[in-house]
Structures are given as structure tokens and as C-alpha cells.
Amino acid sequence: MSSTPHDPFYSSPFGPFYRRHTPYMVQPEYRIYEMNKRLQSRTEDSDNLWWDAFATEFFEDDATLTLSFCLEDGPKRYTIGRTLIPRYFSTVFEGGVTDLYYILKHSKESYHNSSITVDCDQCAMVTQHGKPMFTKVCTEGRLILEFTFDDLMRIKTWHFTIRQYRELVPRSILAMHAQDPQVLDQLSKNITRMGLTNFTLNYLRLCVILEPMQELMSRHKTYNLSPRDCLKTCLFQKWQRMVAPPAEPTRQPTTKRRKRKNSTSSTSNSSAGNTTNSAGSKKKTPAASLSLATQGLGAIPNCSLNPGRDGDLCHSTAVTPSGQFKEKH
């Protein structure tokens, strides 16, 4: 019985303008099952648009994919960003793989505020090779996935640590070439290194160079600058970030508090000035004079060495709201 659009597991034909059906909450392991099904629907005609749509469906825009393993020359660790993830999966099939799927056993889930972490210590990446000979490769290790806790539930971080691998050749093939030493010698040689093809390993080495150049490529695509100008612009901006003083966001509330204190003190000063003026104080301070001037009645001190009527050294001139001057002793 064929699936219909009303089937909850129905999905439209995969294409460059593919869109998922209505989002729904599922278990994180089921997302890996969906990814395996999508990889099985790949054809020989699948182009870059198909792989971009695949990565968009299962990986966040800022997702990272990390592979850790040990080769003959020492441990290796490769981390690639979202823009390089589609090409990584395509290189697996370019190396002679006809089928790829992941098996998770006894995984542990932990829920956080905005993410779900899946830790599987017994993960197997199974690849079926059609060339140079028919071989099944089981790559075992630990897979740690971080999903976004939303309706789409896409992968934010992917970390696969490879521990061991096995290459399985059918007995029927060995029986067919039992009398041919050359073929048996070829069958005894490994076709992968830690379960990864040479195409994938070469791409990961290339990503060490490509990953830091993503900013240059994006700037060249956006502003249509020459490679040299893109490099100059990126280096100048990084230099600006290095020499720029660190931002201090805590200063703003502190400044506001100071303003409030100043406004309070100025209000108290003005009220004190008004009280002193109403009481008939003869000694005026500049601050009190300014506060009175702002209210329409200002006292301008006029000091001289000649004493006034009462023997004071200073007498003031008051400015009435009508603009007339009146001397006060």
C-alpha cells in the first residue's frame, strides 16, 4: 500500500525546493532514522542542491560536525562548519560507497532548556562498498549529538569518535577466487582507513584550509571583491577587534544613577536657595544665583571694596520678572 499525503510518515519527493511536512515533536533517535531513510533515497543524479537540501533538513545553520580518530601517524580531529557538511556526506559516496546508515544502541538522552543531547557509546556507521570490491564496513565509536529543542529538531553539534572498524567480505566472493592468489591478496587489503575512504580523508584535510577561508569566500560572494581586497578587509577588521577596548555595558546604568543623584542634589540646592532668598539672606552663592535665575527671578552679586549701608562688602541687584533692576542691600 503506497503512502498518501495523509500518512504521518509521508514526505514529498525530495528535490531542490523540498520542504518538510508539518513539524512535529519526535524522539531524537527517530531523527537519525529519518536521516538514514533520506540517504537511502539518494540517486546517482543527486547534485549539490540535493545535498544542500539534505543538510538544511537535518542540520542547523550554525551546526558543526567533528570527527576524531587515530591513524598511523597519530590522533586526528577535524571540525567542519555548516557550509562544508553537505560536501562531507557526498564524498562518502564518491569513494565507492553505495549505502550509508547509522545504528544507535543504548543511547542516553538529556534534556536542557533549548537543546537535547544524545550520547551513544555504541554507535555504528555502516557503509556498503561496491568498488573496488563488494565490502561491508562497520565503523564503531561514540556519537554525541545535540539537537535543538523545537519542532524541527535539527542537529546543532555532531561529534563522532571512532574507536575501531571492521571490513567484511562475503564468503561467496572468497570461494569464487579461492584459486586466484592475486585476487585473494587484493581482498586481504583494507579499502578504508579507520572506516573512512581516501576521498573523505582528503576532503577533511582540505577542510583544514577551507574552514578559515569561509569568511573570505562569503565576503567575495556578497561584495564581489577581489581575493586580495577580501583578505585586506578581513585582516583590518580583525585588527580593529583586537585593538578596540572591551565593551563595558555596565557603565550605562551607573551613569543613569549618577544623573539621578545630580538631579536630586540640584533640586535640593534650588529649594535651599529659594528658602535662603525668602528668608532675606544677604550672602549669595553662584550656584544659588543660577538656580534663582532659571526661575525668572535672578540675583546678580555685585561686590565692591566699598561697604554698603549696613557695612556689608556686597550688595545685590535683583531682576524682577518684568525685566526691571532693583538694588537690594
Side-chain angles (χ1 to χ4, degrees):
M1 182 177 179
S2 60
S3 61
T4 62
H6 303 288
D7 188 348
F9 299 104
Y10 171 80
S11 60
S12 61
F14 202 63
F17 304 102
Y18 170 80
R19 287 186 179 181
R20 288 188 61 203
H21 48 79
T22 305
Y24 54 92
M25 292 298 295
V26 296
Q27 295 296 326
E29 285 192 23
Y30 188 77
R31 291 293 290 152
I32 301 300
Y33 170 78
E34 287 183 330
M35 188 177 70
N36 292 336
K37 295 290 289 183
R38 189 67 62 222
L39 290 173
Q40 291 176 4
S41 66
R42 181 202 64 90
T43 62
E44 296 295 335
D45 298 331
S46 299
D47 54 3
N48 293 334
L49 293 178
W50 192 95
W51 287 111
D52 288 338
F54 165 80
T56 301
E57 180 182 3
F58 294 100
F59 290 89
E60 284 289 328
D61 296 337
D62 57 346
T64 58
L65 186 146
T66 303
L67 291 176
S68 302
F69 49 89
C70 188
L71 295 179
E72 297 83 0
D73 55 346
K76 305 294 181 182
R77 181 187 175 98
Y78 297 98
T79 300
I80 60 178
R82 167 63 180 81
T83 55
L84 301 177
I85 290 177
R87 182 61 178 160
Y88 161 76
F89 282 95
S90 66
T91 56
V92 175
F93 292 90
E94 291 175 2
V97 174
T98 58
D99 194 10
L100 165 66
Y101 57 93
Y102 293 86
I103 301 176
L104 276 63
K105 295 182 180 180
H106 308 293
S107 61
K108 299 178 182 179
E109 301 175 1
S110 57
Y111 293 82
H112 309 281
N113 292 333
S114 60
S115 63
I116 305 175
T117 302
V118 178
D119 189 349
C120 182
D121 194 57
Q122 300 181 25
C123 175
M125 180 183 70
V126 182
T127 54
Q128 191 71 53
H129 295 251
K131 58 182 182 179
M133 61 191 69
F134 188 81
T135 309
K136 183 178 181 180
V137 181
C138 297
T139 307
E140 301 174 353
R142 180 183 181 183
L143 179 63
I144 301 177
L145 302 174
E146 182 183 357
F147 293 86
T148 55
F149 198 6
D150 55 10
D151 294 338
L152 295 178
M153 197 176 290
R154 297 190 297 181
I155 300 173
K156 190 173 183 179
T157 58
W158 172 298
H159 190 178
F160 187 33
T161 304
I162 300 175
R163 286 194 297 260
Q164 60 181 357
Y165 74 106
R166 293 174 296 165
E167 296 186 1
L168 309 177
V169 180
R171 289 181 179 269
S172 57
I173 296 181
L174 294 177
M176 289 172 54
H177 304 282
Q179 305 300 326
D180 193 344
Q182 293 182 352
V183 177
L184 290 177
D185 182 66
Q186 185 178 2
L187 290 174
S188 63
K189 296 179 180 179
N190 293 333
I191 62 175
T192 64
R193 299 176 63 187
M194 292 302 294
L196 304 176
T197 62
N198 289 330
F199 278 83
T200 303
L201 287 174
N202 292 334
Y203 177 72
L204 292 175
R205 296 189 188 100
L206 185 62
C207 286
V208 177
I209 303 174
L210 292 177
E211 188 65 32
M213 295 178 63
Q214 290 302 307
E215 186 177 357
L216 297 177
M217 296 177 182
S218 176
R219 189 173 298 276
H220 170 72
K221 185 177 180 180
T222 304
Y223 301 103
N224 197 21
L225 299 175
S226 63
R228 185 180 294 274
D229 292 338
C230 291
L231 181 60
K232 288 181 179 180
T233 306
C234 292
L235 290 177
F236 179 72
Q237 290 184 353
K238 288 189 175 182
W239 176 80
Q240 279 185 327
R241 289 194 293 266
M242 291 174 60
V243 300
E248 296 182 3
T250 57
R251 282 188 174 182
Q252 293 182 353
T254 305
T255 306
K256 289 181 180 179
R257 292 194 198 99
R258 290 177 180 174
K259 287 182 178 179
R260 293 192 189 101
K261 290 179 180 179
N262 292 338
S263 61
T264 307
S265 61
S266 62
T267 305
S268 60
N269 291 338
S270 61
S271 61
N274 292 335
T275 306
T276 307
N277 186 32
S278 60
S281 175
K282 297 180 180 181
K283 295 183 179 181
K284 306 291 183 178
T285 59
S289 303
L290 290 175
S291 62
L292 290 172
T294 57
Q295 297 178 3
L297 182 62
I300 305 174
N302 184 12
C303 299
S304 62
L305 296 177
N306 298 323
R309 295 179 182 176
D310 299 331
D312 295 336
L313 294 178
C314 295
H315 64 278
S316 59
T317 303
V319 183
T320 62
S322 59
Q324 299 177 356
F325 295 90
K326 182 180 178 180
E327 287 191 0
K328 296 173 64 178
H329 297 280

